[in-house]
Amino acid sequence: MFTHAITRRPSEEMVEGITSANLGTPDPHLALAQHKAYCMTLATLGLELTVLDAEPGYPDCCFVEDTAVVCEHVAVLAPLGAPSRQGEEASVEPVLLRHRPVVRVSPPALFEGGDVLQVQDTFFIGLSERTNMAGATALGEALARHGYAWHALEMGDALHFKTDVSFVGDNTLLVSPFFDKAPELARFRRIVVDNDEAYARNCLFINGTVIVPAGFPRTLAAIKALGRPTVELDMSEFRKLDGGLTCLSLRF
Ligand code: CIR
């Protein structure tokens, strides 16, 4: 069960955020409204929220998931892989320290939280352009000290591991065709989300409910068929910056 979440509001500066999406410039006002709906949804699902203000100079700072990995026993602060985002983690640390011991990892080891998926006591870490083997190893070893298992996985062309793989409860993952073949994930039931609904591979499982991005009917139907309650959220403005549902919060 998650009891807490940290989020960070987007600001006007988000129009300068990193993107490969080719979907146009995000509208900061609409993004703020979508962010409010996201926070409301997490609160309705029982989470106590800490909502941080946007940080000047960091256009991507609303994607707070990338700044740390938090689990039951420890939080590991990320040395972010994107140069323009390095330093975002500093303002998250004091909030984490209220809840968990915090471990820091230093460059040249690099990782971003978006590359890390926890399923029960196992962490899957994608080796992306943002997360190197040194970063995965430093993170994995910090987690292993608390009894967790970890695996590093080679990536296809996704930005982050969780862009392509997310957990929706009951031993079930949403996966890209690429990760459907990964031996490390073979023990899970896998729902393959095709490229035309690729954005919906990133869903967010909170205390039994699956939050799904609005506008992806086949993925929604596949999740509903699992018997899970679902909530749809409009994510249009964050999608323009390659950001998905998990990216907007740290849950613990
Ligand atoms: C970036 O490229 O860093 C942001 N525009 C998007 C980050 C998305 N975060 C995530 O997938 N965890």
Side-chain angles (χ1 to χ4, degrees):
M1 285 286 282
F2 293 124
T3 53
H4 292 80
I6 301 171
T7 65
R8 175 141 53 195
R9 290 185 194 93
S11 73
E12 303 275 340
E13 284 185 59
M14 78 183 295
V15 299
E16 309 288 337
I18 309 168
T19 183
S20 63
N22 244 331
L23 293 171
T25 307
D27 171 348
H29 299 284
L30 182 52
L32 202 53
Q34 292 177 350
H35 194 263
K36 273 193 188 134
Y38 179 91
C39 291
M40 284 283 289
T41 302
L42 297 193
T44 303
L45 295 173
L47 304 195
E48 187 183 318
L49 256 64
T50 301
V51 183
L52 300 171
D53 282 330
E55 254 206 289
Y58 290 105
D60 287 294
C61 67
C62 62
F63 302 114
V64 71
E65 167 177 75
D66 293 320
T67 63
V69 168
V70 190
C71 60
E72 196 184 343
H73 302 289
V74 68
V76 185
L77 215 57
L80 282 93
S84 67
R85 301 194 59 191
Q86 286 166 356
E88 279 182 28
E89 71 285 1
S91 52
V92 176
E93 184 176 15
V95 186
L96 292 174
L97 276 169
R98 281 186 232 144
H99 301 277
R100 298 285 188 278
V102 172
V103 172
R104 292 199 203 99
V105 170
S106 303
L110 298 171
F111 75 85
E112 294 192 357
D115 279 320
V116 185
L117 175 69
Q118 179 180 7
V119 185
Q120 284 106 34
D121 286 345
T122 304
F123 285 82
F124 299 94
I125 308 172
L127 299 170
S128 70
E129 287 189 5
R130 307 285 182 88
T131 296
N132 58 23
M133 194 59 206
T137 304
L139 171 62
E141 287 177 351
L143 295 167
R145 281 195 279 280
H146 294 271
Y148 296 98
W150 65 282
H151 302 280
L153 288 86
E154 294 297 335
M155 296 270 298
D157 51 9
L159 170 63
H160 284 123
F161 182 65
K162 275 185 288 194
T163 314
D164 257 13
V165 182
S166 62
F167 178 68
V168 291
D170 285 336
N171 204 46
T172 305
L173 301 176
L174 304 177
V175 294
S176 60
F178 179 85
F179 279 113
D180 187 37
K181 298 186 185 68
E184 296 89 341
L185 304 180
R187 69 178 162 99
F188 295 101
R189 173 164 54 170
R190 299 177 306 284
I191 298 174
V192 180
V193 180
D194 290 331
N195 288 339
D196 57 340
E197 293 207 357
Y199 183 71
R201 288 172 193 147
N202 182 271
C203 286
L204 179 55
F205 182 67
I206 302 282
N207 301 343
T209 294
V210 185
I211 310 175
V212 184
F216 300 92
R218 283 190 291 113
T219 306
L220 181 67
I223 295 167
K224 281 188 185 292
L226 299 173
R228 288 280 177 206
T230 55
V231 176
E232 283 185 272
L233 285 179
D234 189 354
M235 290 287 289
S236 65
E237 302 316 291
F238 302 106
R239 188 180 180 198
K240 290 174 183 173
L241 296 183
D242 300 324
L245 282 161
T246 66
C247 316
L248 289 181
S249 60
L250 281 165
R251 293 83 41 195
F252 49 95

